[in-house]
Amino acid sequence: KGIMVISAHWLTKGTSVTCMEHPKTIHDFYGFPDQLYTINYPSPGFPEEARFVTEIVRKAPVGLDHDWGLDHGAWAVLRHLYPSAEIPVFQLSLDYSVHERDPKPLQYHYDLAAELAELRERGILIIGSGNIVHNLSLIDFWNIEAVPFEWAVEFDEWVKSNLLDRNHQDLLRLDTMGKSASLAVPTLDHYLPMVYVIALRAQDDPLTFVHEGFQNKSISMRGFQIG
């Protein structure tokens, strides 16, 4: 029926949902090949479901945004999953209002996400778009096939194990993972989309890893499906 994307690339003060009939395609990156800036993903928006989100979330007020559109955390994934761009799409932002170095606790985001469960019953696919391991300061930019750092593999495997065991609370306590966590998650923006997704996992939902691997030495491309 529709798709809601939680992208690492829409960080806001407070929480918002996009609410427009025709979201624009945002090219929010720099220094890449010219062809990427010509890509357009002309999906319709879904204002009705965006407004519904503002009604069901009690953890915090959710605002309606009429300006953002679809950032590359959304369209770069969707154009491969649904190339026809016929399914209505809207985005939910990540509240990053405290400070980049001290954002809202992971439990806060987890609890807010749990309130979105009714969207699944209404036929809304929820996509969390980020990277479990994402350290651009140590990236091997010129070698996509570079052997990943040991700490990156360690953290990625730790997350995998906790996902399989449903140890959500451990995944919300990065301070227990020592140096590998601080290197793998130097900022929370790319980790938070996963937090929103696991909060929506029902007790009987299976979890399947659809892809495992690394790019450029310090980025995990692990992907998983729930349900």
Side-chain angles (χ1 to χ4, degrees):
K1 176 182 172 182
I3 301 169
M4 183 178 76
V5 180
I6 302 155
S7 164
H9 297 280
W10 192 24
L11 308 176
T12 55
K13 182 177 181 179
T15 303
S16 296
V17 282
T18 55
C19 185
M20 66 280 288
E21 295 289 346
H22 302 286
K24 62 186 176 184
T25 302
I26 304 172
H27 302 93
D28 52 329
F29 45 79
Y30 305 94
F32 288 89
D34 292 342
Q35 294 92 324
L36 287 175
Y37 300 92
T38 66
I39 292 175
N40 185 41
Y41 191 78
S43 72
F46 212 156
E48 302 95 317
E49 289 301 303
R51 295 188 186 98
F52 180 71
V53 169
T54 69
E55 298 170 4
I56 62 174
V57 173
R58 296 289 179 262
K59 181 71 176 176
V62 178
L64 295 175
D65 180 275
H66 303 279
D67 299 317
W68 185 249
L70 299 178
D71 61 55
H72 80 274
W75 62 258
V77 175
L78 291 171
R79 67 185 298 265
H80 295 288
L81 292 174
Y82 303 102
S84 63
E86 295 177 352
I87 301 175
V89 181
F90 63 109
Q91 286 196 218
L92 177 78
S93 75
L94 296 171
D95 184 353
Y96 225 56
S97 61
V98 178
H99 192 277
E100 184 178 1
R101 295 182 180 275
D102 184 27
K104 289 186 180 293
L106 292 177
Q107 187 69 52
Y108 170 90
H109 293 278
Y110 185 89
D111 293 342
L112 189 155
E115 297 185 326
L116 301 168
E118 194 174 343
L119 289 174
R120 295 184 63 191
E121 301 171 12
R122 294 166 65 92
I124 302 299
L125 170 65
I126 300 171
I127 296 177
S129 177
N131 295 99
I132 290 170
V133 177
H134 188 267
N135 189 326
L136 295 185
S137 67
L138 297 176
I139 193 171
D140 186 342
F141 189 80
W142 302 109
N143 185 3
I144 193 172
E145 302 293 341
V147 176
F149 289 107
E150 289 185 9
W151 53 261
V153 175
E154 177 186 21
F155 185 80
D156 185 68
E157 288 295 325
W158 177 78
V159 170
K160 175 183 179 180
S161 176
N162 281 292
L163 287 171
L164 291 172
D165 293 340
R166 292 176 178 267
N167 290 333
H168 292 181
Q169 284 305 307
D170 285 350
L171 292 168
L172 303 182
R173 290 293 308 277
L174 292 173
D175 57 311
T176 66
M177 263 301 285
K179 186 177 180 180
S180 66
S182 62
L183 289 169
V185 188
T187 58
L188 289 180
D189 47 353
H190 271 265
Y191 190 81
L192 281 172
M194 183 192 71
V195 171
Y196 278 73
V197 169
I198 62 174
L200 290 162
R201 185 182 182 187
Q203 190 61 38
D204 59 347
D205 278 337
L207 185 149
T208 305
F209 294 105
V210 297
H211 183 76
E212 296 180 309
F214 288 82
Q215 288 183 1
N216 304 95
K217 202 164 186 172
S218 63
I219 299 177
S220 167
M221 300 304 290
R222 178 177 299 282
F224 59 90
Q225 175 180 314
I226 289 174

